[in-house]
Amino acid sequence: MRSFVSNNTSLLSIRNISLEFRTRTGTVHALENISFHINPGETVGIVGESGSGKSVLALAIMGILDRAGHITAGEILWAPNSTTTQNLLHTSEKAFRQLRGKELSMIFQNPRTALNPIRKVGKQIADVLRCHTSLPRAQLKPHALDLLSKVKIPDPKQRYDAYPYELSGGLCQRIMIALALACGPKLLIADEPTTGLDVTTQATVMNLLKDLATEQQMATVVITHDLALASEYCDRILVMHAGHLIESAPTRHLFTSPRHLYSSKLYVASPYLLISIDDLIPIHVNLPDLRHPDLPPCRFVSRCDRATDKCHTQPLPQIQITETHQVSCWHPLGRNDDIGMMSDE
């Protein structure tokens, strides 16, 4: 499969990354030939079912994979300015620690487990500042309080001395955002940033991320199951299925004119975007077993009613629908095949 299009202004370029987990029950082929890019100030959404490889991809970018995980091919190119490009896969752990938290930051799925339960949240923010900035010790607390105010934490001075268990899920999520943004990163990865939050808090958290990204020209990757959230906050969306990146398009194009059958099925299986529960159409057949040694070139083939012999035997092509819309499929949808999607109007 050829690479999805990148460009010379990309902050981060993922090029043909393949990744596997070696376990006692077999080798899990978690990612295969994943390629995409993200530009400064851009918000990219990554969507797909659980098990599609979204979070694994994020951990690979951050260099915090489980020991069983191994990147077997590809490059992760980081270009923080016009004169510097480095392959993060060839970066030492010591150098990576300087990048992680300073230029690359991540918000994890469950803030309560990501935060240190026996250290006050304000101290945790001060720890990040002490590690990655040259601020004098006397300035650490005032700067941490300023960050708490920026993420709209009520009564920052009181919350500074709170432990994670004393705070609500929404406040813990905002603490995580403050930690992630403490050093003004160039790239933020938000993995399911609204999981477990009520609708009002979800909107507050996402509006906050969007505002801060615009203000700081920060690139943002939002990993989510919530297609409605992706449609509202993301400039571009990547669709993943069983370790493959199968479609990439500007948000509006993806929801009005999907070109992969899975993208279309994902839409009509989502409770977030449909008027009635009766409109839900589940995606039948489970995801393929990624431990299987002879996975077909198209991992969607067992769930696809358009599949032919070619899909079982020949490597997936990349079809360029427009300059910014790509799909990996032998039998992409046409505009007349769109089902149940947003109106173009």
Side-chain angles (χ1 to χ4, degrees):
M1 182 172 20
R2 296 184 307 162
S3 299
F4 277 75
V5 173
S6 183
N7 60 51
N8 295 328
T9 64
S10 300
L11 176 67
L12 179 76
S13 297
I14 310 298
R15 296 187 178 177
N16 296 310
I17 284 292
S18 293
L19 185 153
E20 61 187 29
F21 288 93
R22 297 162 191 168
T23 71
R24 282 178 287 183
T25 59
T27 298
V28 179
H29 305 282
L31 299 175
E32 185 177 62
N33 293 330
I34 300 294
S35 296
F36 72 94
H37 70 278
I38 183 168
N39 300 321
E42 185 180 26
T43 299
V44 172
I46 303 181
V47 303
E49 295 165 276
S50 295
S52 61
K54 306 184 301 297
S55 295
V56 168
L57 177 59
L59 297 178
I61 294 170
M62 294 297 294
I64 50 176
L65 278 171
D66 183 271
R67 288 185 179 182
H70 301 272
I71 294 175
T72 58
E75 299 177 311
I76 300 178
L77 301 181
W78 176 246
N81 54 59
S82 59
T83 59
T84 304
T85 300
Q86 65 185 109
N87 186 350
L88 296 182
L89 299 184
H90 297 159
T91 302
S92 69
E93 179 54 31
K94 180 179 180 180
F96 218 136
R97 281 199 300 268
Q98 292 302 310
L99 284 175
R100 197 184 299 125
K102 184 178 182 181
E103 294 190 12
L104 300 165
S105 284
M106 184 168 176
I107 299 171
F108 295 90
Q109 285 191 35
N110 190 334
R112 288 194 184 281
T113 58
L115 293 169
N116 187 334
I118 59 172
R119 189 158 177 78
K120 295 175 179 179
V121 296
K123 295 286 189 182
Q124 295 185 52
I125 298 173
D127 290 341
V128 173
L129 294 169
R130 184 171 59 251
C131 180
H132 292 295
T133 72
S134 57
L135 283 172
R137 184 175 293 272
Q139 290 298 313
L140 294 177
K141 182 173 181 178
H143 202 82
L145 289 172
D146 183 59
L147 284 164
L148 292 177
S149 296
K150 183 173 284 190
V151 297
K152 298 179 171 56
I153 296 278
D155 198 355
K157 290 184 179 180
Q158 180 182 350
R159 299 291 192 260
Y160 182 94
D161 291 316
Y163 291 95
Y165 71 85
E166 297 177 301
L167 303 176
S168 68
L171 287 178
C172 283
Q173 192 66 289
R174 294 189 208 187
I175 296 294
M176 280 296 304
I177 295 172
L179 278 166
L181 300 180
C183 300
K186 297 179 183 297
L187 172 69
L188 174 69
I189 300 176
D191 190 1
E192 299 286 0
T194 59
T195 297
L197 304 181
D198 62 76
V199 175
T200 302
T201 306
Q202 287 182 19
T204 300
V205 166
M206 290 308 301
N207 286 334
L208 175 63
L209 286 178
K210 191 70 172 177
D211 291 345
L212 292 173
T214 301
E215 177 185 321
Q216 301 178 19
Q217 270 297 286
M218 177 180 66
T220 310
V221 175
V222 178
I223 297 171
T224 183
H225 288 88
D226 188 339
L227 298 190
L229 180 146
S231 70
E232 185 172 355
Y233 292 98
C234 298
D235 304 311
R236 184 160 49 95
I237 293 180
L238 314 178
V239 182
M240 291 189 66
H241 176 271
H244 281 172
L245 174 55
I246 58 173
E247 188 162 10
S248 172
T251 300
R252 188 67 186 175
H253 292 177
L254 186 81
F255 285 107
T256 57
S257 303
R259 290 296 179 255
H260 199 288
L261 181 61
Y262 178 68
S263 302
S264 184
K265 285 180 176 288
L266 200 62
Y267 183 99
V268 295
S270 172
Y272 307 106
L273 296 168
L274 301 174
I275 296 173
S276 168
I277 196 71
D278 295 330
D279 296 326
L280 285 175
I281 302 175
I283 303 175
H284 297 291
V285 185
N286 294 329
L287 287 165
D289 185 350
L290 300 185
R291 294 172 298 178
H292 200 285
D294 296 317
L295 286 166
C298 176
R299 297 181 180 181
F300 185 63
V301 68
S302 63
R303 315 173 86 185
C304 181
D305 52 20
R306 300 168 68 91
T308 63
D309 289 343
K310 183 185 293 187
C311 306
H312 290 268
T313 59
Q314 297 188 28
L316 283 171
Q318 178 202 320
I319 296 176
Q320 199 77 27
I321 305 300
T322 68
E323 184 180 350
T324 55
H325 190 166
Q326 302 91 33
V327 63
S328 287
C329 182
W330 281 110
H331 307 291
L333 297 171
R335 290 189 63 88
N336 293 333
D337 295 312
D338 299 344
I339 56 171
M341 309 302 287
M342 288 180 178
S343 168
D344 281 314
E345 297 177 2

